[in-house]
Amino acid sequence: MAGPRTPLLRPHRYFRRHDGSPPLAHAVAVVAVVTVAVAGGIAVFLGEFAAALDMTTTVDNPAYPGDAFCENSAFEDTPTGCSEPKTVEREVGALVTEELSWVPAAALVAVPLFWLFEAGVLHAASALAGGDGPFRDTLAISGWAMAPALVRLAAVGGFLVYQLRTVALSGSVDGAIDALQAAIAGVQTVSLAAALVVGVWGGIIRAYGISEARDHPVREAALVVAVLTVLGLLYELV
């Protein structure tokens, strides 16, 4: 009888089936899915945020060179753009989106780097506890342990989208921003609750994984992972 194809539900059977050395390519695929999902989720949030801030504000016109050029008699010819208005009306949401447009792209780099960092910490902690085995296997284990993060992404993303679509905004920009801040104030509670679930789920995957791959007794592996998980949750609370 074939064993489970993923360690998400029966990690002990999955890792035992692969003799503690799960295929790294499968874990890379998982990390790729999580990376795209995180970047896409951020892009969706920015779009929803822009749609919620459906109002305009007056900003300096970038096409206007400025009074120092346009009202300076030292210039024989009027500089290009001086006929443009000094200020223009812009959508507030569009301005915010433009300022944060780099974040989804940054996530495409940050998530894989976090995977490598997390695997390095787990590998080092296992080594300190007497574990033995190649880093490649720890990478694969850490990659699979990132899959539950999709649950947190869905929970937090769903909460934010719902709040942004149902919040009532006032006419002023300051009032609208205050209303949005109040609407999403509960995101930290949702995020931490989801982090607890994801931490336990991912921790079970890591514990059984390093138990098989790094030659730890299950209890010892669980203790190593539990310490790292608690430290991670405490870091989020700071």
Side-chain angles (χ1 to χ4, degrees):
M1 182 177 178
R5 294 185 177 182
T6 77
L8 298 180
L9 296 180
R10 296 181 178 87
H12 57 298
R13 293 185 183 179
Y14 175 83
F15 292 117
R16 188 169 299 166
R17 174 194 175 194
H18 291 285
D19 296 324
S21 185
L24 182 59
H26 295 176
V28 170
V30 171
V31 175
V33 170
V34 174
T35 300
V36 172
V38 170
I42 294 173
V44 168
F45 168 72
L46 291 177
E48 293 290 336
F49 193 80
L53 280 174
D54 186 18
M55 56 185 61
T56 60
T57 187
T58 301
V59 298
D60 292 335
N61 185 0
Y64 179 70
D67 293 342
F69 295 96
C70 296
E71 298 181 4
N72 192 335
S73 59
F75 292 101
E76 295 182 1
D77 298 322
T78 303
T80 303
C82 287
S83 60
E84 297 286 338
K86 296 181 179 181
T87 59
V88 292
E89 292 290 318
R90 291 289 307 275
E91 291 285 340
V92 177
L95 289 173
V96 174
T97 301
E98 288 175 9
E99 288 294 323
L100 299 177
S101 60
W102 60 272
V103 179
L108 296 175
V109 177
V111 175
L113 287 178
F114 177 76
W115 169 43
L116 296 175
F117 170 77
E118 188 177 61
V121 172
L122 179 61
H123 195 78
S126 170
L128 289 174
D132 181 49
F135 181 61
R136 175 187 177 282
D137 292 340
T138 310
L139 268 179
I141 294 164
S142 295
W144 274 112
M146 290 179 67
L150 294 173
V151 174
R152 185 181 187 185
L153 178 65
V156 174
F159 174 82
L160 288 174
V161 169
Y162 174 80
Q163 292 295 92
L164 290 174
R165 290 186 177 183
T166 57
V167 64
L169 303 182
S170 63
S172 68
V173 174
D174 290 341
I177 292 176
D178 289 341
L180 286 174
Q181 289 177 338
I184 64 177
V187 69
Q188 185 175 13
T189 300
V190 174
S191 180
L192 287 175
L196 182 60
V197 173
V198 169
V200 172
W201 190 357
I204 292 173
I205 294 173
R206 294 184 187 94
Y208 279 112
I210 66 170
S211 175
E212 292 292 334
R214 305 274 297 161
D215 197 25
H216 289 290
V218 174
R219 288 187 178 181
E220 184 177 83
L223 179 60
V224 171
V225 172
V227 171
L228 295 179
T229 301
V230 170
L231 290 176
L233 291 173
L234 290 176
Y235 177 78
E236 291 205 24
L237 290 173
V238 175

